[in-house]
Amino acid sequence: HQYKTRGVPVKFKTKAWTKQKIELALKRGPHKSCQEHLPFLQEEFIDMHNKGQWIVLPFNAVKDLPGLRLSPPGVIPQRDRRPRWIVDYSWWDVNEETLPLAPKDAMQFGHALDRLLREILLANPDLGPIYLMKVDIADGFYRIHLNIDDIPKLGVIFPVKPGEEQLVAFPLVLPMGWVNSPPIFCAATETATDITNAALSEHTNVPTSHHL
């Protein structure tokens, strides 16, 4: 309910960065791989901006935002596919200093097969054969918003050409690379599953049969 109504909190076990550290991070800048993929990054961020996922602003306009931290992005080339851009939230210890407020037990890696087999075993044979369906949620992390006051804490140094005004990108949603993004996303999807299964077991709000 908190994620839905107020957004995901971003809290640290350390004090806010000083202006000196912000300037140091800005001077260090993004990973050099970004300079090789500037057109790709510009296209990528325009798309994410239009979807309401990220926003890019001049550094001079955001340098005094409370809690501001700046992390370097990078780009990973992929064979026969578009490059993949990432944020290194570990470089300046953003991940290490993040408080583990997300329920990590929601990430049930390694137990998926056990869960599937259990559901198959317990299924009512009177209902007919069992069908399995795998759903991949596009931009999954990007469907859960951050708390608006905490957005500056996950800032990213946006790469620019030499001599251009320095820019900073801010995620409005769960960013890839932040340590709390996976458990928060898993908690949200597991909760949606629990609510759905509870409604089905109580025979309330049962959806009409799918045509497939």
Side-chain angles (χ1 to χ4, degrees):
H1 181 262
Q2 181 189 34
Y3 297 164
K4 179 181 178 181
T5 57
R6 300 186 61 189
V8 172
V10 182
K11 306 300 178 186
F12 296 107
K13 56 186 178 183
T14 53
K15 295 182 179 180
W17 279 13
T18 62
K19 290 188 176 181
Q20 289 76 12
K21 187 165 184 178
I22 293 174
E23 290 290 345
L24 180 63
L26 193 68
K27 183 177 180 180
R28 194 268 175 184
H31 189 270
K32 61 181 181 180
S33 60
C34 292
Q35 294 298 329
E36 304 168 5
H37 297 87
L38 273 179
F40 160 74
L41 286 171
Q42 292 168 353
E43 178 184 337
E44 194 82 350
F45 271 83
I46 288 173
D47 180 61
M48 293 189 295
H49 176 272
N50 291 338
K51 292 178 179 177
Q53 299 166 345
W54 283 75
I55 189 170
V56 180
L57 297 168
F59 171 72
N60 285 332
V62 302
K63 61 183 180 181
D64 295 322
L65 287 177
L68 179 65
R69 300 188 184 211
L70 300 175
S71 296
V75 178
I76 301 175
Q78 298 190 97
R79 183 176 179 181
D80 299 327
R81 297 179 61 185
R82 284 168 55 85
R84 180 188 182 96
W85 85 275
I86 58 172
V87 180
D88 188 354
Y89 282 117
S90 297
W91 182 265
W92 296 108
D93 296 327
V94 170
N95 277 340
E96 182 180 344
E97 296 170 3
T98 295
L99 290 175
L101 302 180
K104 291 189 176 181
D105 53 346
M107 296 191 298
Q108 301 185 38
F109 299 132
H111 302 288
L113 181 59
D114 293 341
R115 297 173 71 190
L116 289 171
L117 293 176
R118 181 178 183 277
E119 295 300 322
I120 293 173
L121 179 65
L122 298 179
N124 186 349
D126 294 337
L127 299 179
I130 295 172
Y131 296 92
L132 302 181
M133 178 178 66
K134 180 179 183 296
V135 178
D136 184 3
I137 303 176
D139 297 334
F141 284 7
Y142 288 178
R143 299 183 183 273
I144 301 178
H145 288 81
L146 295 174
N147 182 287
I148 190 169
D149 294 327
D150 292 337
I151 287 173
K153 300 175 183 178
L154 297 179
V156 176
I157 304 167
F158 192 85
V160 295
K161 295 179 181 179
E164 291 184 340
E165 182 178 17
Q166 183 60 63
L167 302 175
V168 176
F170 293 106
L172 308 181
V173 292
L174 289 181
M176 297 289 290
W178 184 45
V179 66
N180 276 358
S181 289
I184 288 171
F185 175 74
C186 289
T189 53
E190 286 288 331
T191 300
T193 300
D194 292 342
I195 293 173
T196 302
N197 285 333
L200 290 174
S201 64
E202 296 169 2
H203 302 289
T204 59
N205 300 321
V206 178
T208 57
S209 296
H210 194 277
H211 69 281
L212 296 179

